[in-house]
Amino acid sequence: MATERLDVIIFGASGFTGKYTVYEAVSVLKDLKWGIAGRNRAKLQEVLKEMGAKAKKDLSQTPIFIADVNDEASLLNMAKSCRIVVNTAGPYRFFGENVVRACINAGTHHVDVSGEPQYMETMQLKYNELAKERGVYVISACGFDSIPADMGIVFVEKNFDGVVNSVETFLVSGIKDENNASDSKAGLNTGTWQSAVYGLAHADELRGIRQKLYPERLPKFFPILKHRPLIFRSREINKVCLPFPGSDRSVVMRSQRFLYDTEKKRPVQMHAYIGFSSWLAAIFVALFATIFALMAKFEFGRTLLLKYPSFFSGGFVSPEGPSESRMERSFFKMTMKATGWPSSQRLAEGTDQYTEPPTKTLMVRVSGPNPGYGSTCVALLSTAVTILRESNKMPGNGGVLPPGAAFSKTSLISELEKHEHGIKFEILANK
């Protein structure tokens, strides 16, 4: 007798991100039937015990599925056992595609927290048509990369009484009570570090993928949003800023491209920056990033970075990841400055060009606790809940999409706002 499908299975549940996703699932998925999956039953049982104790809930009866990224039959069995797979097993460039394929074959939705543009855009190139045929949504970048930026722009456009030309994002993250002596310095677990190393090593692949994905270039919209200097003090947040190297811009541009292609909506231009407390800190990070990028380009350098992550990150990266107390005190704030034209100047068509410079601005803040493993896990599960409850408000009946394109007409933002470790969206100034 076929058993009824679960609503959600968290795959990779014994990994660092997976473990904290299980913890957040106790509250975010409280009205749903969910299970966990991974390679090792004993480790999965240990996660249920540990996270159950942390959440003060007995998780011992949670269904467990044994699934391995290298065993397609086990992945298919897992995917057929639920309506949506929440995939926390990265780096996705190595481990993601088999899970995506199993989900599409099983008619099961798939969300993950990848911040790897090559993986995300390759999945769109290879599987978008098949996912649409099978009525399956495959949505990456559902964590800190890149829900704040992509859904932040959705929030901006909902609250901008007019037409947005451009958005600049300024990210600041930190730790409350940073001098806590009992703390380890680790802020990241090695999986995230590996994704960054391989992402930089293969950054050159992106141009070829994008030429196939978008053979026709978007028309230019004026005025063009210029890049700020490489290092500058931002008046918007009063911090010294550098370009933000994450996947936010590539994810946002895919959402904007989708909305232009499907709705002829004028695309929002976007640049992303990250802020530091002093010129010294920003210069130090810029030097570190340059050395890291150079090393990642060469096999010998990559080997060293992957073998000694703690040494090359000054203790910031460790296999154990950040301590509980550090995670509980970490936070992020993303300030977004949008410029455009008031609704009184709206043009007849989204493709028309303005002759007047933009006169209207809106400042928005997107903020949350513990960007790496708190807000990320809540955001990931919230996207799964939204697909299950509001797929009728999503575009088409499936496809490989970025979050802004997938969720712009859903209530994902209010879902994100209602959880303890969720993400808050607020208007700072509207002129």
Side-chain angles (χ1 to χ4, degrees), residues 114-130:
S114 173
E116 304 161 47
Q118 298 99 319
Y119 158 76
M120 295 190 271
E121 295 178 32
T122 301
M123 292 305 97
Q124 185 175 335
L125 186 62
K126 288 175 82 166
Y127 296 107
N128 185 45
E129 289 309 315
L130 190 56

Side-chain angles (χ1 to χ4, degrees), residues 5 9-12 37-39 65-82 84-89 94-110:
R5 280 189 178 204
I9 289 178
I10 298 164
F11 177 62
R39 286 177 304 187
F65 296 81
I66 302 304
D68 185 325
V69 288
N70 298 314
D71 177 353
E72 297 211 10
S74 72
L75 293 177
L76 191 60
N77 177 57
M78 169 187 73
K80 283 179 172 171
S81 304
C82 63
I84 185 160
V85 168
V86 167
N87 182 5
T88 66
F94 298 127
F95 306 133
E97 182 170 357
N98 287 352
V99 186
V100 168
R101 194 186 312 112
C103 284
I104 292 173
N105 288 336
T108 297
H109 305 300
H110 174 284

Side-chain angles (χ1 to χ4, degrees), residues 8-25 35-38 44 47 69 78 84-92 95-96 99 110-114 116 119 139 142-143 189 191-192 195 372-373 376-381:
V8 177
I9 289 178
I10 298 164
F11 177 62
S14 56
F16 197 85
T17 305
K19 189 167 84 163
Y20 286 98
T21 304
V22 170
Y23 170 69
E24 300 294 354
I36 64 172
L44 292 167
V47 165
V69 288
M78 169 187 73
I84 185 160
V85 168
V86 167
N87 182 5
T88 66
Y92 295 93
F95 306 133
V99 186
H110 174 284
V111 291
D112 66 46
V113 289
S114 173
E116 304 161 47
Y119 158 76
I139 304 168
C142 291
N189 115 295
T192 309
S195 297
Y373 308 101
T376 276
C377 303
V378 169
L380 176 63
L381 292 166

Side-chain angles (χ1 to χ4, degrees), residues 52-193:
K54 183 172 157 64
K56 300 183 175 56
K57 189 169 172 70
D58 177 12
L59 298 179
S60 60
Q61 299 307 303
T62 305
I64 292 176
F65 296 81
I66 302 304
D68 185 325
V69 288
N70 298 314
D71 177 353
E72 297 211 10
S74 72
L75 293 177
L76 191 60
N77 177 57
M78 169 187 73
K80 283 179 172 171
S81 304
C82 63
R83 296 164 65 200
I84 185 160
V85 168
V86 167
N87 182 5
T88 66
Y92 295 93
R93 71 174 296 119
F94 298 127
F95 306 133
E97 182 170 357
N98 287 352
V99 186
V100 168
R101 194 186 312 112
C103 284
I104 292 173
N105 288 336
T108 297
H109 305 300
H110 174 284
V111 291
D112 66 46
V113 289
S114 173
E116 304 161 47
Q118 298 99 319
Y119 158 76
M120 295 190 271
E121 295 178 32
T122 301
M123 292 305 97
Q124 185 175 335
L125 186 62
K126 288 175 82 166
Y127 296 107
N128 185 45
E129 289 309 315
L130 190 56
K132 286 200 286 195
E133 271 173 41
R134 301 300 301 264
V136 169
Y137 290 104
V138 175
I139 304 168
S140 290
C142 291
F144 176 64
D145 296 313
S146 291
I147 288 282
D150 209 12
M151 293 310 292
I153 288 181
V154 169
F155 181 77
V156 161
E157 290 207 272
K158 280 195 164 88
N159 290 284
F160 194 99
D161 186 20
V163 176
V164 180
N165 179 57
S166 62
V167 172
E168 293 175 298
T169 66
F170 303 91
L171 173 67
V172 175
S173 60
I175 308 281
K176 297 170 196 151
D177 181 23
E178 193 148 12
N179 301 321
N180 187 323
S182 66
D183 238 357
S184 77
K185 275 196 299 186
L188 279 185
N189 115 295
T190 41
T192 309
W193 175 265

Side-chain angles (χ1 to χ4, degrees), residues 86-380:
V86 167
N87 182 5
T88 66
Y92 295 93
R93 71 174 296 119
F94 298 127
F95 306 133
E97 182 170 357
N98 287 352
V99 186
V100 168
R101 194 186 312 112
C103 284
I104 292 173
N105 288 336
T108 297
H109 305 300
H110 174 284
V111 291
D112 66 46
V113 289
S114 173
E116 304 161 47
Q118 298 99 319
Y119 158 76
M120 295 190 271
E121 295 178 32
T122 301
M123 292 305 97
Q124 185 175 335
L125 186 62
K126 288 175 82 166
Y127 296 107
N128 185 45
E129 289 309 315
L130 190 56
K132 286 200 286 195
E133 271 173 41
R134 301 300 301 264
V136 169
Y137 290 104
V138 175
I139 304 168
S140 290
C142 291
F144 176 64
D145 296 313
S146 291
I147 288 282
D150 209 12
M151 293 310 292
I153 288 181
V154 169
F155 181 77
V156 161
E157 290 207 272
K158 280 195 164 88
N159 290 284
F160 194 99
D161 186 20
V163 176
V164 180
N165 179 57
S166 62
V167 172
E168 293 175 298
T169 66
F170 303 91
L171 173 67
V172 175
S173 60
I175 308 281
K176 297 170 196 151
D177 181 23
E178 193 148 12
N179 301 321
N180 187 323
S182 66
D183 238 357
S184 77
K185 275 196 299 186
L188 279 185
N189 115 295
T190 41
T192 309
W193 175 265
Q194 287 167 0
S195 297
V197 172
Y198 288 115
L200 274 167
H202 299 278
D204 301 346
E205 296 168 3
L206 268 172
R207 181 179 294 241
I209 297 167
R210 283 174 183 165
Q211 281 170 344
K212 289 181 191 160
L213 198 52
Y214 304 118
E216 283 182 39
R217 298 192 71 153
L218 265 180
K220 279 194 161 52
F221 285 89
F222 299 95
I224 289 168
L225 177 64
K226 293 189 171 70
H227 286 274
R228 302 275 188 123
L230 186 63
I231 182 167
F232 65 96
R233 181 172 282 282
S234 147
R235 286 207 305 264
E236 290 80 4
I237 57 168
N238 196 25
K239 300 276 184 193
V240 180
C241 292
L242 297 168
F244 178 58
S247 59
D248 283 0
R249 186 169 186 276
S250 74
V251 172
V252 165
M253 295 329 290
R254 281 171 58 221
S255 283
Q256 293 303 314
R257 176 75 195 226
F258 177 86
L259 294 168
Y260 173 80
D261 287 345
T262 56
E263 299 174 14
K264 281 292 171 268
K265 186 189 84 61
R266 180 191 170 98
V268 174
Q269 302 173 62
M270 181 260 200
H271 289 314
Y273 302 99
I274 182 165
F276 300 92
S277 54
S278 67
W279 287 94
L280 192 65
I283 290 164
F284 175 80
V285 169
L287 284 171
F288 168 78
T290 306
I291 294 163
F292 181 87
L294 280 171
M295 289 180 73
K297 286 282 176 211
F298 301 98
E299 196 170 337
F300 178 66
R302 279 199 297 281
T303 306
L304 289 174
L305 288 171
L306 294 167
K307 200 168 178 185
Y308 306 108
S310 185
F311 174 78
F312 283 104
S313 66
F316 188 68
V317 176
S318 82
E320 297 78 41
S323 67
E324 291 261 342
S325 73
R326 185 185 175 97
M327 287 197 290
E328 277 162 20
R329 297 196 325 279
S330 64
F331 65 90
F332 77 90
K333 290 178 184 170
M334 181 180 282
T335 304
M336 308 180 90
K337 180 188 183 181
T339 59
W341 298 270
S343 53
S344 58
Q345 291 178 263
R346 194 182 289 276
L347 301 176
E349 299 289 334
T351 49
D352 290 350
Q353 294 283 5
Y354 280 86
T355 50
E356 304 290 314
T359 53
K360 182 174 168 59
T361 60
L362 176 71
M363 297 286 285
V364 158
R365 183 189 290 139
V366 183
S367 58
N370 185 3
Y373 308 101
S375 298
T376 276
C377 303
V378 169
L380 176 63

